[in-house]
Amino acid sequence: MAINLKRAKVVYKKSIQDAQLKAKSIAQCLECTYSSIDELTDDASLFIVLGGDGTLLKCAKYASNFDIPIFGFNMGRLGFLAQADFLECDEVLYNLQKENYRIEERLMLTDFDGHTALNDIVVKNADCSSASVFKLYINSKLVCSYLADGLIVSTPTGSTAYNLSAGGAVIAPEIDCMTIVPFCAHTLNARPIVIGADDVIEIKFPYEGEYSVITDGKLAANKKDFVKIKKYDKKAKLLLLNSENKEFYDVLRDKLHWGVAPGHD
C-alpha cells in the first residue's frame, strides 16, 4: 500500500530536547506537517513518531481508531517499539520515499469500560502494601485463583514489556493470542497462561478493596468488583522497513541482547 507522504504528520514529545527541531526537519524533507503528540488529528496518512515507547503507544492507540499506520524514531531509552534511531533518519526517509516498507497489524486489548492498550492491561491492588486474591475466569469459566500483587494481560506486542520482566514468554507479534501473567505471586505453582485472542477474560476481586486498572502504563480506572478484558475491534498498524536487521528477532538481539552468550555475537 503506497502512502501519500505529503499527508503524513511528524509528531514529537515536547519534553524531549531537540525533538521539535528534528520533527520539523523531517517534515520539511517530506513536505508534510508536524505537531506535538498532544495535537493529533485524524486526517494524516501516517504518523512518524519521535519519542520513547510511551509516546509511540499513545499515538498508536489514537491512530488505531482511524486505521492510520505509525512509524517510530526512538528518542527515549529502550525504544523497543521504534523502528529506528534518529541517526538512521536519511536511510528511513529514503526507504519511505521508495515505498520499501510494509504494514503490520497488531492485536490490541480493551476493557469493558472502553480503555484500550497495545501492550498490556495490568490489574493490581490500589494499596501496594499487600498482596490480593484475583479470581480468573475465561469465557465465564473459573480457571484459578491467584494470590499475587497483580495480573498482567498482554498482547504479543507487549510480551517484551512488563510481561517479560514478570516471567512471561516472548511471543512473535503475528501470533493471535493473549497472555495472562501473575506478578509477585505468593505460590510456586502460579504460571503464565496463553489463551486465544477471541477469549474473554474476567478478573474478579472476592475481597473488599480498590483495584487499579492500568493500560499501557497509565492508570485508567479504579474498580471494586471485577474487570473484563477482550481484544479490541481495531488493530494498531505499524509501518516496518523492509531492510536488514529490522525483523522481530533482530530487534530482540539488538535491544534485549536476547540469547547472546557472554563474549559472543
Side-chain angles (χ1 to χ4, degrees):
M1 180 185 74
I3 294 173
N4 182 352
L5 294 177
K6 291 187 178 181
R7 290 185 50 238
K9 174 168 280 190
V10 187
V11 298
Y12 62 92
K13 187 175 181 180
K14 287 181 179 180
S15 61
I16 297 179
Q17 186 176 6
D18 296 332
Q20 182 175 357
L21 288 176
K22 291 174 179 177
K24 181 179 179 180
S25 68
I26 293 174
Q28 288 175 336
C29 289
L30 297 180
E31 300 179 27
C32 66
T33 60
Y34 69 100
S35 73
S36 80
I37 189 66
D38 301 314
E39 299 169 331
L40 298 175
T41 57
D42 61 9
D43 57 350
S45 62
L46 168 70
F47 287 123
I48 300 173
V49 185
L50 277 68
D53 280 346
T55 309
L56 198 143
L57 287 167
K58 181 177 180 179
C59 188
K61 288 196 282 188
Y62 177 88
S64 66
N65 292 303
F66 307 102
D67 294 321
I68 302 171
I70 60 174
F71 178 90
F73 280 105
N74 178 37
M75 297 187 71
R77 292 186 294 274
L78 180 61
F80 192 87
L81 291 174
Q83 267 276 291
D85 293 321
F86 191 78
L87 292 175
E88 303 170 272
C89 184
D90 290 342
E91 177 188 351
V92 169
L93 295 181
Y94 174 82
N95 280 291
L96 288 177
Q97 291 165 337
K98 292 295 183 181
E99 300 179 12
N100 186 27
Y101 53 76
R102 66 190 185 281
I103 306 295
E104 279 192 6
E105 293 188 340
R106 299 290 181 88
L107 178 77
M108 297 181 68
L109 304 174
T110 182
D111 66 10
F112 277 54
D113 293 325
H115 304 110
T116 61
L118 173 56
N119 267 358
D120 49 47
I121 296 178
V122 176
V123 181
K124 69 181 188 67
N125 194 328
D127 177 8
C128 298
S129 65
S130 62
S132 300
V133 174
F134 301 88
K135 299 187 75 172
L136 173 66
Y137 293 76
I138 298 175
N139 300 328
S140 301
K141 302 293 185 181
L142 176 64
V143 177
C144 62
S145 294
Y146 292 107
L147 177 62
D149 283 6
L151 298 181
I152 304 165
V153 180
S154 173
T155 67
T157 301
S159 70
T160 53
Y162 198 2
N163 166 83
L164 182 61
S165 68
V170 172
I171 298 176
E174 65 269 17
I175 298 175
D176 221 20
C177 67
M178 299 180 283
T179 65
I180 304 164
V181 180
F183 60 93
C184 298
H186 289 235
T187 175
L188 294 178
N189 62 3
R191 291 292 181 264
I193 302 174
V194 180
I195 64 173
D198 292 321
D199 291 334
V200 176
I201 299 165
E202 186 173 9
I203 302 167
K204 293 185 178 180
F205 317 128
Y207 300 111
E208 184 177 344
E210 191 168 66
Y211 297 82
S212 298
V213 180
I214 300 166
T215 60
D216 285 344
K218 303 293 183 183
L219 178 64
N222 285 320
K223 307 282 284 187
K224 291 182 178 295
D225 42 11
F226 66 91
V227 176
K228 292 183 79 171
I229 300 169
K230 65 178 182 177
K231 75 174 182 181
Y232 190 38
D233 59 4
K234 296 281 190 178
K235 289 193 174 183
K237 294 187 174 181
L238 303 189
L239 185 148
L240 306 177
L241 300 179
N242 294 326
S243 57
E244 293 183 4
N245 302 320
K246 296 297 182 184
E247 299 295 332
F248 175 69
Y249 300 106
D250 297 317
V251 176
L252 273 182
R253 290 195 304 273
D254 180 44
K255 298 287 187 179
L256 300 181
H257 305 293
W258 188 264
V260 179
H264 295 79
D265 295 328

